[in-house]
Amino acid sequence: MSETGGVREVKSAARTVELLELLAARGDRPARLQELAAELEVPRSSMYALLQTLISRGWVRTDVTGSLYGIGIHALLTGTSYLDSDPRVRLVRPYLDEASQALGETIHMARLDGRDVAYLATRESHEYLRTISRVGRRLPAHVGALGKALLAERPDGELPEGPYRALTPNTRTSREALAADLAGVRARGWSIDREEGVLGIVGFGFALRYDTPAQDAISCSVPVARLSAAHEERIVAVMRETRAKIEARAPGGGGGSVHWRS
């Protein structure tokens, strides 16, 4: 049995969390009982009982036949509570609005979560159709501007061995290629994602250094068709100024609020 901080893991709680994470990761692809039982290596009877318990409490939902399962509305309510209670998100949101209005582009905030980044806030551009990034969405840190900005705040020795998953033909899939890119990020002070995560979209990422190492970052996403050298220069200038404003407002982290461990 695994341990955390010297305390033995509660098997039933771990299984519940694993099930919810699996359903959340499937998105709009509901799962059948047998799929879930096989994926988590749990007997069908135990999985069925767990699903029924979670359905009764709103954490899992099922279709009219009772044979398909998906994440429930209480997951959304809990996630919203996380965002509403997080002092960093509250601090950053007004500056995302300001940057989006100044640039006419989509601005994001995300947090590093293991080998992924989780999107915590987004301000959409009114100039073009929305990108795929959304609050609550997770993407591998190596594929986008947000993740690379945060990986660059850490030593390359922490990078996992490749090959990495490719989301587009431009994704850097080797440890060596990613490390070389991160060296450029450190030299510039911000990251660039040229269609590495989403074809047709270029991103500019800026780590927020109110924590050491940085846990949060902001980015600007721009369609390739809208990006010129002059606009790129403007984006970098506005986003650097936005980062400076945010960091200046967060001395010591959170203005006296609880200092949560990630």
Side-chain angles (χ1 to χ4, degrees), residues 43-62:
R44 282 172 54 98
S45 58
S46 298
M47 178 57 66
Y48 180 77
L50 178 56
L51 285 166
Q52 296 307 307
T53 300
L54 293 174
I55 289 170
S56 70
R57 293 177 177 266
W59 285 91
V60 172
R61 59 180 171 174
T62 188

Side-chain angles (χ1 to χ4, degrees), residues 147-152 154 156 159 177-187:
K148 292 196 297 181
L150 292 168
L151 291 178
R154 292 157 172 77
D156 289 344
L159 294 176
L178 180 59
D181 189 21
L182 297 181
V185 175
R186 297 182 188 109

Side-chain angles (χ1 to χ4, degrees), residues 74-93:
H74 277 211
L76 170 63
L77 300 178
T78 301
T80 301
S81 176
Y82 175 88
L83 295 175
D84 290 343
S85 66
D86 190 280
R88 307 298 201 194
V89 177
R90 292 200 305 270
L91 168 67
V92 170
R93 278 173 174 158

Side-chain angles (χ1 to χ4, degrees), residues 74-232:
H74 277 211
L76 170 63
L77 300 178
T78 301
T80 301
S81 176
Y82 175 88
L83 295 175
D84 290 343
S85 66
D86 190 280
R88 307 298 201 194
V89 177
R90 292 200 305 270
L91 168 67
V92 170
R93 278 173 174 158
Y95 295 103
L96 300 186
D97 292 331
E98 185 179 295
S100 183
Q101 291 169 7
L103 295 170
E105 305 295 354
T106 298
I107 312 297
H108 302 290
M109 175 194 184
R111 180 164 295 161
L112 192 65
D113 182 23
R115 296 184 181 181
D116 298 334
V117 290
Y119 285 78
L120 303 181
T122 293
R123 296 296 180 264
E124 302 283 359
S125 168
H126 298 297
E127 300 295 329
Y128 60 94
L129 295 177
R130 297 187 296 180
T131 64
I132 65 169
S133 300
R134 288 291 179 277
V135 172
R137 180 179 174 81
R138 295 166 61 91
L139 286 178
H142 69 276
V143 304
L146 288 159
K148 292 196 297 181
L150 292 168
L151 291 178
E153 297 291 307
R154 292 157 172 77
D156 289 344
E158 295 184 12
L159 294 176
E161 296 296 330
Y164 307 143
R165 180 162 64 101
L167 297 190
T168 77
N170 300 320
T171 303
R172 289 172 171 81
T173 57
S174 74
R175 194 173 190 272
E176 294 73 21
L178 180 59
D181 189 21
L182 297 181
V185 175
R186 297 182 188 109
R188 281 191 308 272
W190 66 88
S191 64
I192 303 174
D193 155 24
R194 297 194 185 276
E195 301 184 82
E196 296 166 40
V198 182
L199 288 175
I201 298 293
V202 177
F204 300 84
F206 298 75
L208 297 174
R209 295 165 179 151
Y210 42 52
D211 293 313
T212 304
Q215 300 295 320
D216 300 340
I218 56 175
S219 73
C220 177
S221 296
V222 191
V224 173
R226 286 172 53 82
L227 190 61
S228 64
H231 193 33
E232 183 169 325

